[in-house]
Amino acid sequence: MFLAIDVGNSQTTIGLIENGSVERRWRLKTDRLDTSDELDAALRSFLALDGIALADVHAAAVASVVPVLTDMWRNALAHALGKEPFIVSAAEVRGIEVAMPYPSQIGADRIADAVEARGTYGSPAIVVDFGTATNIDVVDARGRYRGGCIAPGLMLSASALFEKAAKLASIPIEVPPAPIGDTTEHALQSGLVLGVAAQAEGLVARIKAQLAAEEGVDGIDCPVIATGGLSRVIGQATDVFTAVDVDLTLRGIWRIWQAR
């Protein structure tokens, strides 16, 4: 079995993969103060709770956007597994051409999304990843990673709104019954959830138009995949997505490790 670790700014997702399929997944809050010993203990606890022996894990890879935790996870996995994990980097990724001037600036999770989108859904493809930030990543018709868009994520926007607006309080993050909110709660849900969905629709439409213009065609049809922690909620608010694939990033880490 293979361990894929996706270290995000807010949450870290750990996936246990066998034959390309995510068999188990665990989440923990990303804490920049975590030590390698604490991460080692957390990993062992997750595996033990599901009755999985460390000896059954043959390799691991880490895609991290938190540099200080990259080294902590490297040390934790080396101690737990007795071997160094593979560290995903867009600057050194194999199996996909990065058609951007500064590959080292690309988040490891973004390149993992792009690689897996191309591998599973073909190219061109568009991925919308709903995390701390909303990332949109684009694979063009030639199978190259082209970049995309980065915007504040839904929860980041919600937290800022609740902090700065004295009369507004936290609400359940779910699709409202209608765009016109008849209560403050529904109005907030409309602005936040439907607003993020509308943002995705608008940006996807502009990206498709650019891809079509580059290919010299009137329009382009390509899969649009939603992933990330809030993808299921946003997916209920729009029909722009071809698929909601919550394990896309974890499988992308595994696919990059295979091509190393």
Short mmCIF file of all heavy atoms in Angstrom, two decimals, residues 23-60:
data_model
loop_
_atom_site.label_atom_id
_atom_site.label_comp_id
_atom_site.label_asym_id
_atom_site.label_seq_id
_atom_site.Cartn_x
_atom_site.Cartn_y
_atom_site.Cartn_z
N GLU A 23 -8.19 3.77 -0.68
CA GLU A 23 -8.93 2.83 0.16
C GLU A 23 -9.30 3.43 1.52
O GLU A 23 -10.31 3.05 2.12
CB GLU A 23 -8.10 1.57 0.37
CG GLU A 23 -7.73 0.85 -0.92
CD GLU A 23 -8.96 0.32 -1.65
OE1 GLU A 23 -9.98 0.02 -0.99
OE2 GLU A 23 -8.90 0.24 -2.90
N ARG A 24 -8.46 4.32 2.04
CA ARG A 24 -8.72 4.99 3.32
C ARG A 24 -8.26 6.43 3.18
O ARG A 24 -7.32 6.72 2.45
CB ARG A 24 -7.95 4.34 4.47
CG ARG A 24 -8.28 2.90 4.77
CD ARG A 24 -9.57 2.77 5.55
NE ARG A 24 -9.69 1.42 6.09
CZ ARG A 24 -10.04 0.34 5.39
NH1 ARG A 24 -10.28 0.47 4.10
NH2 ARG A 24 -10.14 -0.85 5.98
N ARG A 25 -8.92 7.31 3.91
CA ARG A 25 -8.45 8.69 3.97
C ARG A 25 -8.71 9.24 5.37
O ARG A 25 -9.70 8.91 6.02
CB ARG A 25 -9.11 9.57 2.90
CG ARG A 25 -10.54 9.94 3.15
CD ARG A 25 -11.15 10.73 2.02
NE ARG A 25 -11.23 9.98 0.79
CZ ARG A 25 -12.15 9.05 0.54
NH1 ARG A 25 -13.04 8.74 1.47
NH2 ARG A 25 -12.19 8.43 -0.62
N TRP A 26 -7.78 10.07 5.81
CA TRP A 26 -7.90 10.71 7.11
C TRP A 26 -7.55 12.18 6.96
O TRP A 26 -6.76 12.56 6.10
CB TRP A 26 -6.93 10.08 8.12
CG TRP A 26 -7.08 8.60 8.26
CD1 TRP A 26 -7.96 7.93 9.05
CD2 TRP A 26 -6.28 7.59 7.63
NE1 TRP A 26 -7.78 6.57 8.93
CE2 TRP A 26 -6.75 6.32 8.07
CE3 TRP A 26 -5.22 7.63 6.72
CZ2 TRP A 26 -6.19 5.13 7.64
CZ3 TRP A 26 -4.66 6.43 6.28
CH2 TRP A 26 -5.15 5.20 6.73
N ARG A 27 -8.14 13.00 7.79
CA ARG A 27 -7.87 14.44 7.76
C ARG A 27 -7.46 14.92 9.14
O ARG A 27 -7.98 14.45 10.16
CB ARG A 27 -9.11 15.23 7.31
CG ARG A 27 -9.52 14.98 5.87
CD ARG A 27 -10.72 15.87 5.50
NE ARG A 27 -11.22 15.56 4.17
CZ ARG A 27 -10.77 16.11 3.05
NH1 ARG A 27 -9.82 17.02 3.12
NH2 ARG A 27 -11.26 15.78 1.89
N LEU A 28 -6.53 15.86 9.16
CA LEU A 28 -6.18 16.53 10.40
C LEU A 28 -5.92 18.00 10.11
O LEU A 28 -5.57 18.36 8.97
CB LEU A 28 -4.97 15.90 11.07
CG LEU A 28 -3.59 16.00 10.41
CD1 LEU A 28 -2.52 15.83 11.48
CD2 LEU A 28 -3.40 14.92 9.35
N LYS A 29 -6.11 18.82 11.11
CA LYS A 29 -5.87 20.25 10.96
C LYS A 29 -4.39 20.49 10.73
O LYS A 29 -3.53 19.93 11.41
CB LYS A 29 -6.33 20.99 12.21
CG LYS A 29 -6.18 22.51 12.12
CD LYS A 29 -6.66 23.17 13.40
CE LYS A 29 -6.48 24.68 13.33
NZ LYS A 29 -6.93 25.34 14.59
N THR A 30 -4.07 21.31 9.74
CA THR A 30 -2.68 21.68 9.50
C THR A 30 -2.22 22.67 10.56
O THR A 30 -2.82 23.72 10.75
CB THR A 30 -2.52 22.32 8.10
OG1 THR A 30 -2.87 21.36 7.10
CG2 THR A 30 -1.09 22.78 7.87
N ASP A 31 -1.18 22.28 11.28
CA ASP A 31 -0.62 23.12 12.34
C ASP A 31 0.87 23.29 12.06
O ASP A 31 1.64 22.32 12.12
CB ASP A 31 -0.83 22.47 13.71
CG ASP A 31 -0.42 23.36 14.87
OD1 ASP A 31 0.37 24.30 14.64
OD2 ASP A 31 -0.86 23.12 16.00
N ARG A 32 1.28 24.51 11.74
CA ARG A 32 2.67 24.78 11.38
C ARG A 32 3.64 24.53 12.53
O ARG A 32 4.86 24.50 12.32
CB ARG A 32 2.82 26.22 10.87
CG ARG A 32 2.22 26.42 9.49
CD ARG A 32 2.04 27.89 9.16
NE ARG A 32 1.66 28.09 7.78
CZ ARG A 32 0.43 27.90 7.31
NH1 ARG A 32 -0.53 27.48 8.13
NH2 ARG A 32 0.17 28.09 6.03
N LEU A 33 3.12 24.34 13.74
CA LEU A 33 3.98 24.08 14.90
C LEU A 33 4.15 22.60 15.17
O LEU A 33 4.89 22.22 16.08
CB LEU A 33 3.41 24.77 16.14
CG LEU A 33 3.31 26.31 16.08
CD1 LEU A 33 2.72 26.85 17.37
CD2 LEU A 33 4.67 26.93 15.80
N ASP A 34 3.49 21.75 14.39
CA ASP A 34 3.63 20.31 14.59
C ASP A 34 5.07 19.86 14.38
O ASP A 34 5.75 20.31 13.44
CB ASP A 34 2.74 19.54 13.62
CG ASP A 34 1.31 19.40 14.12
OD1 ASP A 34 1.08 19.62 15.33
OD2 ASP A 34 0.44 19.04 13.31
N THR A 35 5.53 18.98 15.24
CA THR A 35 6.86 18.40 15.09
C THR A 35 6.76 17.08 14.33
O THR A 35 5.67 16.51 14.18
CB THR A 35 7.50 18.15 16.45
OG1 THR A 35 6.75 17.13 17.14
CG2 THR A 35 7.52 19.42 17.30
N SER A 36 7.91 16.57 13.89
CA SER A 36 7.90 15.28 13.20
C SER A 36 7.42 14.17 14.12
O SER A 36 6.76 13.23 13.67
CB SER A 36 9.29 14.97 12.65
OG SER A 36 10.25 14.95 13.68
N ASP A 37 7.73 14.27 15.41
CA ASP A 37 7.27 13.26 16.36
C ASP A 37 5.74 13.26 16.47
O ASP A 37 5.12 12.20 16.54
CB ASP A 37 7.88 13.50 17.75
CG ASP A 37 9.37 13.22 17.79
OD1 ASP A 37 9.85 12.46 16.92
OD2 ASP A 37 10.05 13.73 18.69
N GLU A 38 5.16 14.45 16.49
CA GLU A 38 3.70 14.55 16.58
C GLU A 38 3.03 14.01 15.32
O GLU A 38 1.99 13.34 15.39
CB GLU A 38 3.30 16.01 16.84
CG GLU A 38 3.65 16.50 18.23
CD GLU A 38 3.48 17.99 18.40
OE1 GLU A 38 3.75 18.74 17.43
OE2 GLU A 38 3.06 18.43 19.49
N LEU A 39 3.60 14.30 14.17
CA LEU A 39 3.05 13.80 12.92
C LEU A 39 3.21 12.29 12.82
O LEU A 39 2.31 11.58 12.34
CB LEU A 39 3.71 14.49 11.73
CG LEU A 39 3.46 16.00 11.64
CD1 LEU A 39 4.27 16.59 10.49
CD2 LEU A 39 1.98 16.30 11.46
N ASP A 40 4.34 11.77 13.27
CA ASP A 40 4.57 10.33 13.32
C ASP A 40 3.51 9.66 14.19
O ASP A 40 2.91 8.64 13.80
CB ASP A 40 5.98 10.08 13.89
CG ASP A 40 6.38 8.61 13.90
OD1 ASP A 40 5.54 7.75 13.55
OD2 ASP A 40 7.53 8.31 14.24
N ALA A 41 3.25 10.25 15.36
CA ALA A 41 2.26 9.67 16.27
C ALA A 41 0.86 9.72 15.67
O ALA A 41 0.08 8.76 15.81
CB ALA A 41 2.29 10.42 17.61
N ALA A 42 0.53 10.82 15.00
CA ALA A 42 -0.80 10.94 14.38
C ALA A 42 -0.98 9.90 13.29
O ALA A 42 -2.03 9.26 13.19
CB ALA A 42 -0.98 12.34 13.81
N LEU A 43 0.05 9.72 12.47
CA LEU A 43 -0.02 8.73 11.39
C LEU A 43 -0.21 7.33 11.95
O LEU A 43 -1.07 6.57 11.48
CB LEU A 43 1.25 8.81 10.55
CG LEU A 43 1.40 7.76 9.45
CD1 LEU A 43 0.28 7.89 8.43
CD2 LEU A 43 2.76 7.88 8.77
N ARG A 44 0.59 6.98 12.94
CA ARG A 44 0.47 5.65 13.54
C ARG A 44 -0.91 5.44 14.15
O ARG A 44 -1.48 4.33 14.07
CB ARG A 44 1.56 5.46 14.61
CG ARG A 44 2.97 5.38 14.05
CD ARG A 44 4.01 5.37 15.17
NE ARG A 44 5.36 5.45 14.65
CZ ARG A 44 6.11 4.40 14.34
NH1 ARG A 44 5.63 3.16 14.50
NH2 ARG A 44 7.34 4.55 13.87
N SER A 45 -1.46 6.49 14.75
CA SER A 45 -2.79 6.39 15.36
C SER A 45 -3.86 6.12 14.31
O SER A 45 -4.72 5.26 14.49
CB SER A 45 -3.11 7.68 16.13
OG SER A 45 -4.42 7.64 16.66
N PHE A 46 -3.81 6.86 13.20
CA PHE A 46 -4.78 6.65 12.12
C PHE A 46 -4.72 5.22 11.60
O PHE A 46 -5.75 4.56 11.42
CB PHE A 46 -4.52 7.62 10.97
CG PHE A 46 -4.93 9.04 11.24
CD1 PHE A 46 -4.09 10.10 10.87
CD2 PHE A 46 -6.13 9.34 11.86
CE1 PHE A 46 -4.46 11.41 11.11
CE2 PHE A 46 -6.50 10.65 12.10
CZ PHE A 46 -5.66 11.69 11.73
N LEU A 47 -3.52 4.74 11.33
CA LEU A 47 -3.37 3.40 10.79
C LEU A 47 -3.85 2.35 11.79
O LEU A 47 -4.55 1.39 11.43
CB LEU A 47 -1.91 3.15 10.43
CG LEU A 47 -1.34 3.97 9.25
CD1 LEU A 47 0.16 3.76 9.13
CD2 LEU A 47 -2.03 3.62 7.95
N ALA A 48 -3.49 2.53 13.06
CA ALA A 48 -3.86 1.55 14.08
C ALA A 48 -5.38 1.48 14.26
O ALA A 48 -5.95 0.39 14.42
CB ALA A 48 -3.18 1.90 15.40
N LEU A 49 -6.03 2.64 14.21
CA LEU A 49 -7.49 2.66 14.39
C LEU A 49 -8.21 1.87 13.30
O LEU A 49 -9.28 1.31 13.52
CB LEU A 49 -8.00 4.10 14.40
CG LEU A 49 -7.73 4.90 15.69
CD1 LEU A 49 -8.10 6.36 15.48
CD2 LEU A 49 -8.54 4.31 16.85
N ASP A 50 -7.61 1.81 12.11
CA ASP A 50 -8.20 1.06 11.01
C ASP A 50 -7.56 -0.32 10.84
O ASP A 50 -7.81 -1.01 9.84
CB ASP A 50 -8.07 1.85 9.70
CG ASP A 50 -9.17 2.88 9.55
OD1 ASP A 50 -9.89 3.11 10.55
OD2 ASP A 50 -9.32 3.45 8.47
N GLY A 51 -6.74 -0.71 11.81
CA GLY A 51 -6.15 -2.04 11.79
C GLY A 51 -5.14 -2.26 10.69
O GLY A 51 -4.98 -3.38 10.18
N ILE A 52 -4.42 -1.21 10.31
CA ILE A 52 -3.44 -1.30 9.23
C ILE A 52 -2.03 -1.26 9.82
O ILE A 52 -1.71 -0.37 10.61
CB ILE A 52 -3.62 -0.14 8.23
CG1 ILE A 52 -5.01 -0.21 7.61
CG2 ILE A 52 -2.55 -0.18 7.14
CD1 ILE A 52 -5.44 1.05 6.92
N ALA A 53 -1.22 -2.22 9.45
CA ALA A 53 0.15 -2.29 9.96
C ALA A 53 1.08 -1.42 9.13
O ALA A 53 0.96 -1.35 7.91
CB ALA A 53 0.63 -3.74 9.94
N LEU A 54 2.02 -0.77 9.80
CA LEU A 54 3.01 0.04 9.09
C LEU A 54 3.79 -0.80 8.08
O LEU A 54 4.19 -0.31 7.02
CB LEU A 54 3.98 0.68 10.09
CG LEU A 54 3.59 2.05 10.67
CD1 LEU A 54 4.56 2.44 11.77
CD2 LEU A 54 3.56 3.10 9.58
N ALA A 55 3.99 -2.05 8.41
CA ALA A 55 4.75 -2.93 7.52
C ALA A 55 4.07 -3.13 6.17
O ALA A 55 4.72 -3.52 5.19
CB ALA A 55 4.97 -4.28 8.20
N ASP A 56 2.75 -2.86 6.12
CA ASP A 56 2.01 -3.03 4.87
C ASP A 56 2.14 -1.82 3.94
O ASP A 56 1.69 -1.87 2.80
CB ASP A 56 0.52 -3.27 5.16
CG ASP A 56 0.28 -4.60 5.86
OD1 ASP A 56 1.11 -5.52 5.65
OD2 ASP A 56 -0.70 -4.73 6.60
N VAL A 57 2.73 -0.73 4.44
CA VAL A 57 2.92 0.49 3.64
C VAL A 57 4.32 0.45 3.05
O VAL A 57 5.32 0.47 3.77
CB VAL A 57 2.73 1.76 4.50
CG1 VAL A 57 2.93 3.00 3.65
CG2 VAL A 57 1.34 1.77 5.14
N HIS A 58 4.42 0.41 1.72
CA HIS A 58 5.72 0.23 1.07
C HIS A 58 6.38 1.53 0.65
O HIS A 58 7.59 1.57 0.41
CB HIS A 58 5.60 -0.70 -0.13
CG HIS A 58 4.72 -0.17 -1.22
ND1 HIS A 58 5.15 0.72 -2.18
CD2 HIS A 58 3.40 -0.40 -1.49
CE1 HIS A 58 4.16 1.01 -3.00
NE2 HIS A 58 3.09 0.35 -2.61
N ALA A 59 5.60 2.61 0.53
CA ALA A 59 6.18 3.88 0.08
C ALA A 59 5.21 5.02 0.40
O ALA A 59 4.03 4.79 0.69
CB ALA A 59 6.47 3.85 -1.43
N ALA A 60 5.73 6.26 0.31
CA ALA A 60 4.91 7.43 0.59
C ALA A 60 5.42 8.61 -0.22
O ALA A 60 6.58 8.66 -0.63
CB ALA A 60 4.95 7.77 2.08
#
